[in-house]
């Protein structure tokens, strides 16, 4: 098996290919042929999983390092990775494998190696620059949406944006759904603005109250969001923030969420190479 087939299997490629933009046409002809999109996607997935620099891309991928980075930048600007994440959620949603009865929200600090983007001194990392990943998961821990902010932004200030980032997901019966039943949040979300945000959406709030409720009681439901964020950090490119541009870091993050959903679909045998 080649590295291209290993990092971009047939079932994943058949879902991603319709989402990619058409190749630009050269009216005058000539020039080098465009590198295959599947090769570029496999190289991007390798960088995401291994965390290596673009210049350290192995020669086993038949693509130059600048071309791989250029293709990643192009697809990030067009929202290809976000669309791939939504496509994977649709596959799971149509199979009834997304549990909307409860949801969980939480944030995770990521140290920034380079400056730029929403990097600010972290209050939990001795003032070192970093960013924060805010995630919304279903009851089983599948990532429904992710948002990036600066490291010094409180979780309750991003709840509105995180819920708005959840896109409609197709269901086996009826209209697409985007509203979870009961979102669970820790005491970092114990704020009036969070409860008003949920009330405007007609969502029942399940937020731990400071000085009243124990964290262990809420942990019976919230462990799934911690597991979801742990899945994200297994992609070494996201364990540290190497990108100067916030859009590039968000692109890698959306691609990681798409791969997490893809692995769940493969485990449930919802995808085949001939008919995804």
């Amino acid at each position: 098996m080649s590295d291209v087939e290993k990092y971009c299997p047939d079932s994943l490629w058949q879902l991603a290919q319709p989402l990619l933009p058409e190749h630009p046409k050269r009216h005058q002809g000539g020039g080098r042929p465009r590198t295959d999109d599947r090769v570029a996607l496999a190289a991007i997935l390798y960088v995401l999983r291994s965390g290596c620099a673009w210049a350290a891309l192995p020669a086993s991928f038949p693509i130059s390092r600048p071309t791989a980075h250029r293709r990643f930048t192009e697809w990030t600007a067009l929202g290809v990775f976000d669309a791939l994440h939504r496509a994977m959620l649709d596959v799971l949603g149509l199979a009834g494998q997304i549990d909307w009865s409860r949801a969980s929200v939480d944030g995770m600090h990521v140290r920034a190696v380079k400056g730029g983007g929403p990097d600010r001194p972290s209050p939990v990392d001795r003032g070192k620059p970093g960013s924060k990943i805010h995630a919304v998961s279903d009851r089983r821990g599948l990532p429904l949406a992710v948002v990036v902010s600066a490291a010094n932004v409180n979780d309750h200030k991003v709840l509105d944006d995180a819920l708005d980032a959840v896109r409609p997901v197709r269901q086996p019966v009826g209209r697409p759904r985007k509203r979870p039943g009961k979102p669970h949040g820790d005491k970092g979300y114990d704020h009036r603005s969070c409860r008003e945000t949920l009330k405007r959406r007609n969502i029942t709030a399940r937020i731990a109250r400071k000085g009243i409720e124990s964290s262990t009681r809420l942990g019976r439901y919230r462990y799934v969001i911690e597991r979801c964020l742990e899945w994200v950090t297994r992609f070494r490119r996201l364990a540290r923030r190497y990108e100067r541009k916030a859009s590039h870091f968000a692109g890698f993050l959306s691609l990681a969420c798409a791969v997490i959903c893809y692995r769940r679909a493969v485990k449930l045998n919802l995808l085949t190479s001939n008919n995804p």
Side-chain angles (χ1 to χ4, degrees):
M1 178 186 296
S2 66
D3 284 344
V4 174
E5 295 174 346
K6 176 182 177 181
Y7 289 94
C8 186
D10 292 338
S11 55
L12 175 60
W13 172 241
Q14 290 192 15
L15 278 169
Q17 186 177 18
L19 307 176
L20 302 179
E22 295 183 0
H23 293 183
K25 297 181 180 179
R26 296 186 177 127
H27 300 287
Q28 295 180 350
R32 295 181 179 179
R34 181 180 172 92
T35 304
D36 184 47
D37 285 337
R38 183 175 181 179
V39 175
L41 181 58
I44 294 170
L45 287 167
Y46 177 84
V47 172
L48 172 64
R49 291 177 58 179
S50 66
C52 74
W54 293 103
L57 194 65
S60 57
F61 291 94
I63 185 174
S64 66
R65 285 72 167 177
T67 300
H69 183 265
R70 184 166 55 249
R71 201 72 57 87
F72 169 76
T73 303
E74 175 188 348
W75 291 346
T76 298
L78 295 175
V80 171
F81 304 124
D82 188 46
L84 181 60
H85 180 206
R86 296 198 302 268
M88 295 299 177
L89 288 174
D90 283 337
V91 171
L92 295 167
L94 286 171
Q97 295 299 323
I98 296 181
D99 192 342
W100 293 91
S101 61
R102 295 181 186 270
S104 296
V105 293
D106 203 358
M108 175 184 66
H109 168 261
V110 178
R111 182 180 293 182
V113 176
K114 296 181 179 181
D119 295 340
R120 294 294 184 273
S122 173
V124 298
D125 193 18
R126 295 175 294 175
K128 294 182 179 180
S131 300
K132 227 175 187 180
I133 298 174
H134 305 268
V136 182
S137 75
D138 75 333
R139 191 169 187 171
R140 297 169 180 169
L142 287 173
L144 300 176
V146 284
V147 176
V148 181
S149 73
N152 61 350
V153 175
N154 294 329
D155 290 342
H156 73 270
K157 295 183 178 180
V158 194
L159 179 61
D160 204 350
D161 295 335
L163 292 176
D164 286 341
V166 179
R167 303 302 181 186
V169 179
R170 299 172 65 183
Q171 303 297 300
V173 179
R175 302 172 58 184
R177 181 171 180 174
K178 63 170 292 186
R179 183 177 300 169
K182 301 175 183 179
H184 291 263
D186 59 15
K187 296 179 183 180
Y189 296 92
D190 186 18
H191 198 274
R192 179 182 298 177
S193 62
C194 294
R195 302 185 188 278
E196 292 176 351
T197 295
L198 297 174
K199 185 176 181 180
R200 288 197 305 268
R201 293 172 168 81
N202 295 322
I203 300 176
T204 304
R206 290 291 185 269
I207 299 175
R209 292 169 293 179
K210 298 177 181 178
I212 299 177
E213 294 177 329
S214 172
S215 301
T216 57
R217 180 180 179 183
L218 191 64
R220 294 178 299 173
Y221 303 102
R222 289 193 64 260
Y223 77 94
V224 294
I225 187 65
E226 296 175 359
R227 183 178 62 182
C228 174
L229 292 172
E230 194 272 334
W231 287 339
V232 170
T233 57
R234 291 184 183 181
F235 296 91
R236 297 180 63 86
R237 190 73 181 193
L238 299 174
R240 290 279 196 276
R241 175 174 171 173
Y242 298 96
E243 279 66 41
R244 292 183 181 273
K245 294 184 178 180
S247 59
H248 288 187
F249 186 74
F252 272 128
L253 186 58
S254 296
L255 183 57
C257 292
V259 174
I260 292 172
C261 295
Y262 168 76
R263 290 173 177 171
R264 177 65 62 87
V266 171
K267 185 177 181 180
L268 297 172
N269 199 25
L270 301 179
L271 296 173
T272 64
S273 59
N274 297 324
N275 184 26

